[in-house]
Amino acid sequence: MHPRETVDRALRLSALGYNDRQVAAFCGVSLGAVQKWRTGARRAREDQDRRRSTNCPLCHGRTLDRRSYAYLLGLYLGDGHIVLCRKRVYRLSIFCSDTWPGLIEAAAEALAAVMPTSSVSRRQHTGCTEVKSYSTHWVCLFPQHGPGKKHQRAIVLAGWQEEIVTEHPGLFARGLIHSDGYRGTNRVRRPVGGEDKWYEYPRYLFKNESADILRLCGETLDRLGVAWRHNKRNEISVARRDAVARLDQFVGPKY
């Protein structure tokens, strides 16, 4: 990107009647750059880049869609990934199973709502869709980003993230379970009168290798008044009838 002074000088020279090749020579820029500035294409793109680079709720005070962020934070902690693609530009990707097209749409909507000046795209992989967006400020909004896998480093929410999760625990839980959880039917066999009887009941499971993320899930369920227990070392189970009904108000089956 050229300095604003160079662009303005080129436009002034064009207005004085110099042709594009002469303006390019005077300003030390390419002929194509002058043509784009004169027609407005380059200016529009630079203005867009400027808006993108100054659109961070934390760095520039832009209003954050807190509801969408609560949901997106849950998705990120489960199936999200941030990588540095080029100088100062990061890609946030949410990987969604193709089994749940509604979840893919919800992830795309959340990305667009949280970072409205960045476009959202999709890339097909075997059995899943990568929903992604590029911004220089994704690492500001997700300070949990770091080298290595999430379960190999501490996952602690910043104070402002804690406020959002406390304000919207249902949406945060929805994001967590949409990423690394599910609602299904459990079948249990019990001997009754010498015969085996089968019982079925709905339950939620949330599985994650990070003890910190499991803790965040448990704390959020507590806020919602949902009874839960550790089904396994790396898994949370919600199986009581009233607890499942309560969580259904916020999450429900994937779609």
Side-chain angles (χ1 to χ4, degrees), residues 137-156:
H137 293 284
W138 280 127
V139 291
C140 304
L141 292 176
F142 295 94
Q144 290 72 34
H145 168 67
K149 298 179 180 179
K150 294 190 188 81
H151 69 274
Q152 295 175 337
R153 62 179 188 269
I155 301 295
V156 180

Side-chain angles (χ1 to χ4, degrees), residues 154-200:
I155 301 295
V156 180
L157 298 185
W160 62 270
Q161 291 177 303
E162 287 277 8
E163 292 179 3
I164 292 177
V165 168
T166 302
E167 183 180 342
H168 301 290
L171 288 167
F172 181 55
R174 181 179 175 86
L176 288 173
I177 294 175
H178 274 184
S179 59
D180 276 348
Y182 93 114
R183 183 191 189 279
T185 300
N186 192 40
R187 302 183 74 237
V188 179
R189 183 177 62 184
R190 297 280 174 79
V192 177
E195 296 182 0
D196 288 339
K197 297 288 186 179
W198 287 92
Y199 298 90
E200 295 184 352

